[in-house]
Amino acid sequence: MEVKIKQVDEVRISRYIIKETMEDWYQFVDSDVVIVGAGPSGLTAAYYLAKAGLKTLLFERRLSFGGGIGGGAMLFHKLVIEKPADEILREVNIRLKEVEDGVYIVDSAEFMAKLASAAIDAGAKIIHGVTVDDVIFRENPLRVAGVAVEWTATQMASLHVDPIFIAAKAVVDATGHDAEVISVAARKIPELGIVIPGEKSAYSEKAEELVVMNTGKVAEGLYVTGMAVAEVKGLPRMGPIFGAMVLSGKAVAEEIIKDVLKST
Ligand code: 48H
Ligand code: FE2
């Protein structure tokens, strides 16, 4: 088979990549919202925030999307979704199988791929391989004003490298069970008065509503969504039912949209 392929030399390949990468970093160094973690809650928040026109940047430590979605339940590639979270999944064209009234089964690969795709199409910028390891804060009024980021690879190599800072009107901890961003803020900025009781054992029927109800602002400029809510508010876990994760992502987006509009 004869194919005429456009010829591009190594210097041009490298230059285009460097230039375009730096343009993204330069533009997003001052964002409306920084979301930490590309699991179900972070991706859903990114989708709604970007759709509302906010400059939305999401950092994900790993080189993949979906956080805990990919592992399904004990590596079984299915998850449970319940009403009304099905509406969010339908909005991004994820197919659901109803197994009882208001209870659905979703395929984990389809869930991760389509949720990530929707967030990107809505305009969210997602950067992989970056770990958020600290926040920026300001006084008068006391608030979180952004994050400190480092390559995940640098951290894995245990190298002492100082971070880059990204400013944001709102920082969202969507890091899952460990609530990493809020934990570091609670430890390093005691004036914020954040006390973290830690997640409780499983109680699925209660946990779903509690997580969504307790989603939102934990300090000025700092918000929590997803499984991190259980850690920060001392709530039970729910296992492989993911309705609360996407509903929590949507709820945090709605609260931030209101807060950011109020401040501008
Ligand atoms: C950059 C980071 C950092 C960091 C972590 O764990 P996730 O899937 O989080 P959620 O809250 O969206 O979803 C939770 C769900 O997956 C789950 O575990 C449930 C429902 N469990 C119930 C139960 O009973 O166990 O995703 C978090 C993402 C991951 O991709 C991490 O790699 C990433 O955040 N991340 N990224 N900087 N400091 N910390
Ligand atoms: Fe989990």
PDB file of all heavy atoms in Angstrom, residues 21-50:
ATOM      1  N   THR A  21       2.300  23.148  25.282  1.00  0.00           N
ATOM      2  CA  THR A  21       2.216  22.805  26.703  1.00  0.00           C
ATOM      3  C   THR A  21       2.364  24.054  27.556  1.00  0.00           C
ATOM      4  O   THR A  21       1.561  24.306  28.470  1.00  0.00           O
ATOM      5  CB  THR A  21       3.331  21.802  27.084  1.00  0.00           C
ATOM      6  OG1 THR A  21       3.200  20.648  26.274  1.00  0.00           O
ATOM      7  CG2 THR A  21       3.249  21.416  28.549  1.00  0.00           C
ATOM      8  N   MET A  22       3.377  24.837  27.245  1.00  0.00           N
ATOM      9  CA  MET A  22       3.638  26.039  28.051  1.00  0.00           C
ATOM     10  C   MET A  22       2.507  27.059  27.916  1.00  0.00           C
ATOM     11  O   MET A  22       2.186  27.750  28.869  1.00  0.00           O
ATOM     12  CB  MET A  22       4.992  26.658  27.676  1.00  0.00           C
ATOM     13  CG  MET A  22       6.158  25.783  28.085  1.00  0.00           C
ATOM     14  SD  MET A  22       5.998  25.193  29.795  1.00  0.00           S
ATOM     15  CE  MET A  22       6.805  23.621  29.703  1.00  0.00           C
ATOM     16  N   GLU A  23       1.912  27.133  26.744  1.00  0.00           N
ATOM     17  CA  GLU A  23       0.770  28.049  26.580  1.00  0.00           C
ATOM     18  C   GLU A  23      -0.371  27.654  27.510  1.00  0.00           C
ATOM     19  O   GLU A  23      -1.008  28.509  28.124  1.00  0.00           O
ATOM     20  CB  GLU A  23       0.302  28.070  25.124  1.00  0.00           C
ATOM     21  CG  GLU A  23       1.102  29.087  24.326  1.00  0.00           C
ATOM     22  CD  GLU A  23       0.735  29.147  22.855  1.00  0.00           C
ATOM     23  OE1 GLU A  23      -0.339  28.633  22.479  1.00  0.00           O
ATOM     24  OE2 GLU A  23       1.552  29.679  22.096  1.00  0.00           O
ATOM     25  N   ASP A  24      -0.626  26.353  27.632  1.00  0.00           N
ATOM     26  CA  ASP A  24      -1.678  25.892  28.560  1.00  0.00           C
ATOM     27  C   ASP A  24      -1.334  26.274  29.997  1.00  0.00           C
ATOM     28  O   ASP A  24      -2.168  26.813  30.733  1.00  0.00           O
ATOM     29  CB  ASP A  24      -1.835  24.369  28.482  1.00  0.00           C
ATOM     30  CG  ASP A  24      -2.798  23.949  27.378  1.00  0.00           C
ATOM     31  OD1 ASP A  24      -3.382  24.820  26.718  1.00  0.00           O
ATOM     32  OD2 ASP A  24      -2.957  22.728  27.176  1.00  0.00           O
ATOM     33  N   TRP A  25      -0.109  25.983  30.419  1.00  0.00           N
ATOM     34  CA  TRP A  25       0.281  26.281  31.810  1.00  0.00           C
ATOM     35  C   TRP A  25       0.210  27.790  32.062  1.00  0.00           C
ATOM     36  O   TRP A  25      -0.243  28.239  33.108  1.00  0.00           O
ATOM     37  CB  TRP A  25       1.700  25.762  32.104  1.00  0.00           C
ATOM     38  CG  TRP A  25       1.738  24.288  32.398  1.00  0.00           C
ATOM     39  CD1 TRP A  25       1.911  23.279  31.498  1.00  0.00           C
ATOM     40  CD2 TRP A  25       1.601  23.649  33.676  1.00  0.00           C
ATOM     41  NE1 TRP A  25       1.894  22.052  32.132  1.00  0.00           N
ATOM     42  CE2 TRP A  25       1.708  22.255  33.469  1.00  0.00           C
ATOM     43  CE3 TRP A  25       1.401  24.110  34.979  1.00  0.00           C
ATOM     44  CZ2 TRP A  25       1.625  21.322  34.511  1.00  0.00           C
ATOM     45  CZ3 TRP A  25       1.321  23.177  36.021  1.00  0.00           C
ATOM     46  CH2 TRP A  25       1.424  21.807  35.775  1.00  0.00           C
ATOM     47  N   TYR A  26       0.680  28.572  31.099  1.00  0.00           N
ATOM     48  CA  TYR A  26       0.690  30.031  31.235  1.00  0.00           C
ATOM     49  C   TYR A  26      -0.733  30.559  31.405  1.00  0.00           C
ATOM     50  O   TYR A  26      -1.010  31.420  32.239  1.00  0.00           O
ATOM     51  CB  TYR A  26       1.343  30.647  29.992  1.00  0.00           C
ATOM     52  CG  TYR A  26       1.725  32.095  30.153  1.00  0.00           C
ATOM     53  CD1 TYR A  26       2.933  32.449  30.748  1.00  0.00           C
ATOM     54  CD2 TYR A  26       0.873  33.102  29.712  1.00  0.00           C
ATOM     55  CE1 TYR A  26       3.279  33.787  30.899  1.00  0.00           C
ATOM     56  CE2 TYR A  26       1.216  34.442  29.864  1.00  0.00           C
ATOM     57  CZ  TYR A  26       2.413  34.775  30.461  1.00  0.00           C
ATOM     58  OH  TYR A  26       2.757  36.094  30.613  1.00  0.00           O
ATOM     59  N   GLN A  27      -1.631  29.996  30.614  1.00  0.00           N
ATOM     60  CA  GLN A  27      -3.031  30.440  30.659  1.00  0.00           C
ATOM     61  C   GLN A  27      -3.719  30.015  31.959  1.00  0.00           C
ATOM     62  O   GLN A  27      -4.429  30.782  32.585  1.00  0.00           O
ATOM     63  CB  GLN A  27      -3.766  29.847  29.457  1.00  0.00           C
ATOM     64  CG  GLN A  27      -5.155  30.413  29.237  1.00  0.00           C
ATOM     65  CD  GLN A  27      -5.963  29.567  28.275  1.00  0.00           C
ATOM     66  OE1 GLN A  27      -5.403  28.891  27.397  1.00  0.00           O
ATOM     67  NE2 GLN A  27      -7.264  29.577  28.436  1.00  0.00           N
ATOM     68  N   PHE A  28      -3.475  28.783  32.384  1.00  0.00           N
ATOM     69  CA  PHE A  28      -4.224  28.239  33.524  1.00  0.00           C
ATOM     70  C   PHE A  28      -3.558  28.492  34.875  1.00  0.00           C
ATOM     71  O   PHE A  28      -4.060  28.053  35.895  1.00  0.00           O
ATOM     72  CB  PHE A  28      -4.500  26.743  33.317  1.00  0.00           C
ATOM     73  CG  PHE A  28      -5.665  26.497  32.389  1.00  0.00           C
ATOM     74  CD1 PHE A  28      -5.462  26.345  31.020  1.00  0.00           C
ATOM     75  CD2 PHE A  28      -6.959  26.462  32.873  1.00  0.00           C
ATOM     76  CE1 PHE A  28      -6.532  26.137  30.160  1.00  0.00           C
ATOM     77  CE2 PHE A  28      -8.042  26.273  32.027  1.00  0.00           C
ATOM     78  CZ  PHE A  28      -7.829  26.110  30.664  1.00  0.00           C
ATOM     79  N   VAL A  29      -2.410  29.202  34.889  1.00  0.00           N
ATOM     80  CA  VAL A  29      -1.726  29.484  36.158  1.00  0.00           C
ATOM     81  C   VAL A  29      -2.620  30.358  37.054  1.00  0.00           C
ATOM     82  O   VAL A  29      -2.457  30.391  38.265  1.00  0.00           O
ATOM     83  CB  VAL A  29      -0.349  30.143  35.899  1.00  0.00           C
ATOM     84  CG1 VAL A  29      -0.491  31.583  35.435  1.00  0.00           C
ATOM     85  CG2 VAL A  29       0.541  30.025  37.112  1.00  0.00           C
ATOM     86  N   ASP A  30      -3.599  30.990  36.435  1.00  0.00           N
ATOM     87  CA  ASP A  30      -4.585  31.788  37.167  1.00  0.00           C
ATOM     88  C   ASP A  30      -5.961  31.305  36.690  1.00  0.00           C
ATOM     89  O   ASP A  30      -6.435  31.734  35.646  1.00  0.00           O
ATOM     90  CB  ASP A  30      -4.355  33.267  36.815  1.00  0.00           C
ATOM     91  CG  ASP A  30      -5.138  34.182  37.718  1.00  0.00           C
ATOM     92  OD1 ASP A  30      -5.806  33.681  38.638  1.00  0.00           O
ATOM     93  OD2 ASP A  30      -5.088  35.396  37.488  1.00  0.00           O
ATOM     94  N   SER A  31      -6.549  30.392  37.457  1.00  0.00           N
ATOM     95  CA  SER A  31      -7.799  29.756  37.030  1.00  0.00           C
ATOM     96  C   SER A  31      -8.952  30.189  37.921  1.00  0.00           C
ATOM     97  O   SER A  31      -8.736  30.701  39.025  1.00  0.00           O
ATOM     98  CB  SER A  31      -7.668  28.231  37.108  1.00  0.00           C
ATOM     99  OG  SER A  31      -6.792  27.761  36.107  1.00  0.00           O
ATOM    100  N   ASP A  32     -10.162  29.961  37.452  1.00  0.00           N
ATOM    101  CA  ASP A  32     -11.312  30.157  38.349  1.00  0.00           C
ATOM    102  C   ASP A  32     -11.350  29.018  39.371  1.00  0.00           C
ATOM    103  O   ASP A  32     -11.514  29.240  40.560  1.00  0.00           O
ATOM    104  CB  ASP A  32     -12.620  30.163  37.548  1.00  0.00           C
ATOM    105  CG  ASP A  32     -12.795  31.440  36.731  1.00  0.00           C
ATOM    106  OD1 ASP A  32     -12.369  32.509  37.206  1.00  0.00           O
ATOM    107  OD2 ASP A  32     -13.332  31.362  35.613  1.00  0.00           O
ATOM    108  N   VAL A  33     -11.211  27.798  38.867  1.00  0.00           N
ATOM    109  CA  VAL A  33     -11.331  26.627  39.744  1.00  0.00           C
ATOM    110  C   VAL A  33     -10.218  25.629  39.456  1.00  0.00           C
ATOM    111  O   VAL A  33      -9.935  25.326  38.293  1.00  0.00           O
ATOM    112  CB  VAL A  33     -12.682  25.901  39.521  1.00  0.00           C
ATOM    113  CG1 VAL A  33     -12.889  24.811  40.570  1.00  0.00           C
ATOM    114  CG2 VAL A  33     -13.846  26.866  39.536  1.00  0.00           C
ATOM    115  N   VAL A  34      -9.595  25.115  40.519  1.00  0.00           N
ATOM    116  CA  VAL A  34      -8.692  23.970  40.388  1.00  0.00           C
ATOM    117  C   VAL A  34      -9.353  22.792  41.093  1.00  0.00           C
ATOM    118  O   VAL A  34      -9.733  22.889  42.260  1.00  0.00           O
ATOM    119  CB  VAL A  34      -7.301  24.242  41.010  1.00  0.00           C
ATOM    120  CG1 VAL A  34      -6.523  22.940  41.174  1.00  0.00           C
ATOM    121  CG2 VAL A  34      -6.502  25.204  40.141  1.00  0.00           C
ATOM    122  N   ILE A  35      -9.503  21.690  40.350  1.00  0.00           N
ATOM    123  CA  ILE A  35     -10.053  20.456  40.916  1.00  0.00           C
ATOM    124  C   ILE A  35      -8.891  19.476  41.058  1.00  0.00           C
ATOM    125  O   ILE A  35      -8.079  19.343  40.136  1.00  0.00           O
ATOM    126  CB  ILE A  35     -11.124  19.858  39.985  1.00  0.00           C
ATOM    127  CG1 ILE A  35     -12.274  20.858  39.802  1.00  0.00           C
ATOM    128  CG2 ILE A  35     -11.648  18.526  40.528  1.00  0.00           C
ATOM    129  CD1 ILE A  35     -13.223  20.479  38.674  1.00  0.00           C
ATOM    130  N   VAL A  36      -8.828  18.800  42.194  1.00  0.00           N
ATOM    131  CA  VAL A  36      -7.755  17.838  42.407  1.00  0.00           C
ATOM    132  C   VAL A  36      -8.350  16.433  42.393  1.00  0.00           C
ATOM    133  O   VAL A  36      -9.107  16.070  43.295  1.00  0.00           O
ATOM    134  CB  VAL A  36      -7.017  18.098  43.733  1.00  0.00           C
ATOM    135  CG1 VAL A  36      -5.783  17.203  43.811  1.00  0.00           C
ATOM    136  CG2 VAL A  36      -6.651  19.565  43.867  1.00  0.00           C
ATOM    137  N   GLY A  37      -8.026  15.669  41.342  1.00  0.00           N
ATOM    138  CA  GLY A  37      -8.501  14.292  41.236  1.00  0.00           C
ATOM    139  C   GLY A  37      -9.519  14.107  40.133  1.00  0.00           C
ATOM    140  O   GLY A  37     -10.535  14.805  40.075  1.00  0.00           O
ATOM    141  N   ALA A  38      -9.214  13.146  39.230  1.00  0.00           N
ATOM    142  CA  ALA A  38     -10.110  12.865  38.087  1.00  0.00           C
ATOM    143  C   ALA A  38     -10.917  11.597  38.318  1.00  0.00           C
ATOM    144  O   ALA A  38     -11.077  10.768  37.420  1.00  0.00           O
ATOM    145  CB  ALA A  38      -9.305  12.772  36.792  1.00  0.00           C
ATOM    146  N   GLY A  39     -11.421  11.428  39.535  1.00  0.00           N
ATOM    147  CA  GLY A  39     -12.364  10.349  39.805  1.00  0.00           C
ATOM    148  C   GLY A  39     -13.767  10.803  39.408  1.00  0.00           C
ATOM    149  O   GLY A  39     -13.938  11.858  38.793  1.00  0.00           O
ATOM    150  N   PRO A  40     -14.806  10.030  39.768  1.00  0.00           N
ATOM    151  CA  PRO A  40     -16.168  10.376  39.365  1.00  0.00           C
ATOM    152  C   PRO A  40     -16.624  11.750  39.859  1.00  0.00           C
ATOM    153  O   PRO A  40     -17.259  12.498  39.115  1.00  0.00           O
ATOM    154  CB  PRO A  40     -17.024   9.256  39.974  1.00  0.00           C
ATOM    155  CG  PRO A  40     -16.163   8.622  41.022  1.00  0.00           C
ATOM    156  CD  PRO A  40     -14.751   8.772  40.530  1.00  0.00           C
ATOM    157  N   SER A  41     -16.266  12.114  41.091  1.00  0.00           N
ATOM    158  CA  SER A  41     -16.733  13.405  41.613  1.00  0.00           C
ATOM    159  C   SER A  41     -15.993  14.556  40.939  1.00  0.00           C
ATOM    160  O   SER A  41     -16.615  15.547  40.542  1.00  0.00           O
ATOM    161  CB  SER A  41     -16.582  13.465  43.136  1.00  0.00           C
ATOM    162  OG  SER A  41     -15.216  13.425  43.502  1.00  0.00           O
ATOM    163  N   GLY A  42     -14.683  14.437  40.789  1.00  0.00           N
ATOM    164  CA  GLY A  42     -13.901  15.509  40.176  1.00  0.00           C
ATOM    165  C   GLY A  42     -14.266  15.719  38.715  1.00  0.00           C
ATOM    166  O   GLY A  42     -14.387  16.862  38.247  1.00  0.00           O
ATOM    167  N   LEU A  43     -14.459  14.645  37.986  1.00  0.00           N
ATOM    168  CA  LEU A  43     -14.818  14.774  36.561  1.00  0.00           C
ATOM    169  C   LEU A  43     -16.205  15.380  36.400  1.00  0.00           C
ATOM    170  O   LEU A  43     -16.434  16.199  35.505  1.00  0.00           O
ATOM    171  CB  LEU A  43     -14.762  13.404  35.871  1.00  0.00           C
ATOM    172  CG  LEU A  43     -13.357  12.829  35.612  1.00  0.00           C
ATOM    173  CD1 LEU A  43     -13.461  11.408  35.072  1.00  0.00           C
ATOM    174  CD2 LEU A  43     -12.554  13.703  34.643  1.00  0.00           C
ATOM    175  N   THR A  44     -17.139  14.977  37.259  1.00  0.00           N
ATOM    176  CA  THR A  44     -18.490  15.542  37.164  1.00  0.00           C
ATOM    177  C   THR A  44     -18.467  17.037  37.499  1.00  0.00           C
ATOM    178  O   THR A  44     -19.081  17.849  36.805  1.00  0.00           O
ATOM    179  CB  THR A  44     -19.461  14.810  38.128  1.00  0.00           C
ATOM    180  OG1 THR A  44     -19.402  13.423  37.857  1.00  0.00           O
ATOM    181  CG2 THR A  44     -20.886  15.307  37.964  1.00  0.00           C
ATOM    182  N   ALA A  45     -17.719  17.393  38.540  1.00  0.00           N
ATOM    183  CA  ALA A  45     -17.595  18.813  38.888  1.00  0.00           C
ATOM    184  C   ALA A  45     -16.980  19.579  37.721  1.00  0.00           C
ATOM    185  O   ALA A  45     -17.458  20.661  37.355  1.00  0.00           O
ATOM    186  CB  ALA A  45     -16.741  18.969  40.148  1.00  0.00           C
ATOM    187  N   ALA A  46     -15.938  19.022  37.117  1.00  0.00           N
ATOM    188  CA  ALA A  46     -15.263  19.689  35.985  1.00  0.00           C
ATOM    189  C   ALA A  46     -16.236  19.910  34.837  1.00  0.00           C
ATOM    190  O   ALA A  46     -16.252  20.973  34.211  1.00  0.00           O
ATOM    191  CB  ALA A  46     -14.066  18.862  35.531  1.00  0.00           C
ATOM    192  N   TYR A  47     -17.052  18.916  34.573  1.00  0.00           N
ATOM    193  CA  TYR A  47     -18.034  19.015  33.485  1.00  0.00           C
ATOM    194  C   TYR A  47     -18.981  20.199  33.712  1.00  0.00           C
ATOM    195  O   TYR A  47     -19.148  21.060  32.856  1.00  0.00           O
ATOM    196  CB  TYR A  47     -18.801  17.687  33.381  1.00  0.00           C
ATOM    197  CG  TYR A  47     -20.030  17.729  32.510  1.00  0.00           C
ATOM    198  CD1 TYR A  47     -19.929  17.932  31.137  1.00  0.00           C
ATOM    199  CD2 TYR A  47     -21.299  17.568  33.067  1.00  0.00           C
ATOM    200  CE1 TYR A  47     -21.075  17.975  30.334  1.00  0.00           C
ATOM    201  CE2 TYR A  47     -22.436  17.602  32.277  1.00  0.00           C
ATOM    202  CZ  TYR A  47     -22.319  17.806  30.909  1.00  0.00           C
ATOM    203  OH  TYR A  47     -23.449  17.854  30.123  1.00  0.00           O
ATOM    204  N   TYR A  48     -19.580  20.266  34.912  1.00  0.00           N
ATOM    205  CA  TYR A  48     -20.567  21.323  35.156  1.00  0.00           C
ATOM    206  C   TYR A  48     -19.920  22.704  35.293  1.00  0.00           C
ATOM    207  O   TYR A  48     -20.507  23.712  34.882  1.00  0.00           O
ATOM    208  CB  TYR A  48     -21.427  20.991  36.381  1.00  0.00           C
ATOM    209  CG  TYR A  48     -22.428  19.902  36.068  1.00  0.00           C
ATOM    210  CD1 TYR A  48     -22.272  18.612  36.562  1.00  0.00           C
ATOM    211  CD2 TYR A  48     -23.524  20.150  35.231  1.00  0.00           C
ATOM    212  CE1 TYR A  48     -23.174  17.602  36.249  1.00  0.00           C
ATOM    213  CE2 TYR A  48     -24.431  19.152  34.919  1.00  0.00           C
ATOM    214  CZ  TYR A  48     -24.251  17.871  35.435  1.00  0.00           C
ATOM    215  OH  TYR A  48     -25.141  16.880  35.107  1.00  0.00           O
ATOM    216  N   LEU A  49     -18.741  22.775  35.874  1.00  0.00           N
ATOM    217  CA  LEU A  49     -18.067  24.075  36.032  1.00  0.00           C
ATOM    218  C   LEU A  49     -17.657  24.636  34.676  1.00  0.00           C
ATOM    219  O   LEU A  49     -17.860  25.816  34.390  1.00  0.00           O
ATOM    220  CB  LEU A  49     -16.835  23.915  36.941  1.00  0.00           C
ATOM    221  CG  LEU A  49     -17.161  23.733  38.429  1.00  0.00           C
ATOM    222  CD1 LEU A  49     -15.970  23.134  39.169  1.00  0.00           C
ATOM    223  CD2 LEU A  49     -17.559  25.071  39.054  1.00  0.00           C
ATOM    224  N   ALA A  50     -17.081  23.783  33.838  1.00  0.00           N
ATOM    225  CA  ALA A  50     -16.645  24.241  32.519  1.00  0.00           C
ATOM    226  C   ALA A  50     -17.849  24.621  31.665  1.00  0.00           C
ATOM    227  O   ALA A  50     -17.831  25.616  30.940  1.00  0.00           O
ATOM    228  CB  ALA A  50     -15.811  23.152  31.843  1.00  0.00           C
TER     229      ALA A  50
END
